C-alpha cells in the first residue's frame, strides 16, 4: 500500500468531510436573506478557524486562513446590490414605505388589467420586466419612453394600428422605459412549434437573464408568464396578479 494511503487517518477523513459539507452549506445559504447568511457564514468561518487549529485539521485550517482575510471583501462585492437595497430600506420612513407599497400595487393592477383587456380582445402583447440582471444589452431597436405603468398606456401601445405594437414593452425600476423592442429568439429545439414569435422572444430573453416576461397570444388570447425559460399559462387575471406580486413586487419595493 502506498505511503500516502497508510498515512490517511480518521482526522483526514473528518477534515475532507467538513470541507465538503461547508461548501455545500455555503451554496445553500446563498439562497437565503442577505443579513442572515452574511452573519451565519462569518460565524461559521470564525468558529471553524479556531476549532481546526485546536484539533489539528490542517487542510481545513489552511483553507480558512487563506480565505478569511479577503472573505469580507468578497462578500461585499458579491452582495453589493443586496447591501445597497438594505441600506436604502433602513433610511426610508414609514410614509415613504407605505407610498411605495401602494405604487407597486397600482402598477401590478395596471399590468393585470391591461393584459386581461388585451386577452379579451385577442391583441398580442409582450412585456418584459427587468429584475436583478439588466436587459438593455439584449434589446434591439426600440423607442425610449418614460411613463408610469397604467393599463391605458399599455393597452394603447398594443393596439393593432399602433406603430410599435409588434415589439416588446420594457419595464425597468417600476416604470415603462422602452417600447417596440425586439428580443433574441429562443433556439431551444424542445419548444413547441405552435408557439409564435412573441413566445419565442420571451423564452429567449428569460433563458439568459432573470427578467419576467408577460405574453398575450394573438391567436388564442392566452396570457402567460415566462421566467427562467419556462412558460406558465395564466387562466385568469387573479392568477396573473398573484404571480406578479410574488415575482416582481418584492424586487420593486427593495430597489
Amino acid at each position: 500500500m502506498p505511503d500516502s494511503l497508510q498515512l490517511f487517518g480518521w482526522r483526514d477523513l473528518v477534515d475532507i468531510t467538513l470541507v465538503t459539507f461547508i461548501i455545500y452549506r455555503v451554496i445553500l445559504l446563498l439562497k437565503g436573506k442577505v443579513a442572515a447568511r452574511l452573519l451565519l457564514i462569518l460565524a461559521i468561518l470564525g468558529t471553524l478557524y479556531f476549532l481546526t487549529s485546536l484539533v489539528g485539521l490542517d487542510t481545513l485550517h489552511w483553507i480558512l486562513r487563506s480565505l478569511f482575510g479577503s472573505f469580507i471583501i468578497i462578500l461585499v462585492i458579491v452582495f453589493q446590490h443586496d447591501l445597497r437595497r438594505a441600506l436604502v430600506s433602513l433610511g426610508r420612513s414609514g410614509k415613504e414605505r407605505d407610498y411605495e407599497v401602494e405604487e407597486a400595487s397600482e402598477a401590478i393592477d395596471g399590468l393585470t388589467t391591461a393584459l386581461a383587456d388585451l386577452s379579451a380582445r385577442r391583441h398580442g402583447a409582450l412585456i418584459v420586466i427587468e429584475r436583478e440582471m439588466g436587459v438593455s444589452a439584449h434589446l434591439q431597436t426600440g423607442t425610449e419612453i418614460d411613463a408610469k405603468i397604467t393599463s391605458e398606456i399599455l393597452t394603447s401601445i398594443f393596439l393593432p394600428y399602433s406603430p410599435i405594437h409588434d415589439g416588446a414593452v420594457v419595464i425597468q425600476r417600476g416604470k415603462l422605459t422602452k417600447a417596440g423592442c425586439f428580443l433574441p429568439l429562443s433556439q431551444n429545439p424542445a419548444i413547441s412549434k405552435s408557439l409564435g414569435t412573441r413566445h419565442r422572444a420571451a423564452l429567449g430573453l428569460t433563458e439568459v437573464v432573470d427578467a419576467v416576461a408577460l405574453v398575450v397570444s394573438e391567436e388564442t388570447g392566452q396570457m402567460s408568464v415566462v421566467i427562467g425559460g419556462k412558460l406558465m399559462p395564466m387562466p385568469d387575471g387573479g392568477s396573473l396578479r398573484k404571480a406578479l406580486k410574488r415575482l416582481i413586487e418584492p424586487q420593486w419595493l427593495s430597489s
Side-chain angles (χ1 to χ4, degrees):
M1 183 179 292
D3 292 340
S4 59
L5 291 179
Q6 291 178 344
L7 294 174
F8 189 87
W10 68 269
R11 285 188 176 182
D12 300 293
L13 179 61
V14 172
D15 200 0
I16 294 171
T17 302
L18 281 174
V19 171
T20 305
F21 177 75
I22 290 169
I23 293 173
Y24 170 72
R25 293 305 303 177
V26 168
I27 292 172
L28 291 182
L29 283 171
L30 294 178
K31 298 179 181 179
K33 292 185 178 180
V34 62
R37 67 183 182 237
L38 285 175
L39 291 174
L40 190 53
I41 290 172
L42 289 174
I44 290 172
L45 286 177
T47 303
L48 287 177
Y49 182 80
F50 291 105
L51 289 178
T52 53
S53 177
L54 290 175
V55 299
L57 300 177
D58 297 331
T59 303
L60 185 54
H61 186 71
W62 177 82
I63 291 174
L64 292 172
R65 186 174 67 246
S66 302
L67 292 178
F68 196 73
S70 57
F71 197 73
I72 295 178
I73 297 175
I74 294 172
L75 287 176
V76 170
I77 293 172
V78 171
F79 301 123
Q80 57 182 302
H81 298 298
D82 299 297
L83 291 170
R84 178 181 59 81
R85 286 199 301 269
L87 291 172
V88 170
S89 180
L90 287 174
R92 290 171 178 158
S93 67
K95 289 184 178 179
E96 288 174 330
R97 184 71 176 178
D98 291 342
Y99 174 76
E100 289 170 355
V101 170
E102 183 180 350
E103 196 173 48
S105 180
E106 288 178 356
I108 289 173
D109 287 343
L111 282 166
T112 304
T113 301
L115 263 70
D117 186 32
L118 292 165
S119 173
R121 300 184 189 188
R122 293 198 177 183
H123 290 170
L126 174 56
I127 300 172
V128 172
I129 305 170
E130 184 180 80
R131 299 205 298 171
E132 283 284 349
M133 302 171 67
V135 300
S136 296
H138 303 280
L139 306 177
Q140 299 176 26
T141 66
T143 301
E144 298 286 338
I145 57 177
D146 182 11
K148 185 178 179 180
I149 300 171
T150 66
S151 60
E152 293 81 8
I153 293 176
L154 288 169
T155 302
S156 65
I157 288 174
F158 291 111
L159 290 175
Y161 50 78
S162 168
I164 52 177
H165 78 280
D166 277 334
V169 165
V170 178
I171 295 174
Q172 296 170 301
R173 299 175 298 280
K175 297 189 72 175
L176 300 172
T177 59
K178 296 180 179 68
C181 299
F182 292 96
L183 313 178
L185 302 182
S186 175
Q187 302 301 315
N188 185 350
I191 293 176
S192 171
K193 293 181 179 179
S194 64
L195 295 179
T197 303
R198 288 189 180 91
H199 292 84
R200 290 180 177 274
L203 290 166
L205 181 68
T206 60
E207 285 169 356
V208 295
V209 296
D210 67 345
V212 174
L214 310 176
V215 187
V216 176
S217 170
E218 191 170 353
E219 288 74 26
T220 65
Q222 173 68 60
M223 299 181 294
S224 300
V225 172
V226 186
I227 184 169
K230 295 182 179 180
L231 187 72
M232 298 180 290
M234 296 288 114
D236 51 47
S239 301
L240 176 61
R241 181 180 282 104
K242 288 180 181 178
L244 292 176
K245 286 182 72 68
R246 176 172 57 86
L247 293 171
I248 65 174
E249 187 177 59
Q251 191 79 28
W252 285 350
L253 293 178
S254 62
S255 61

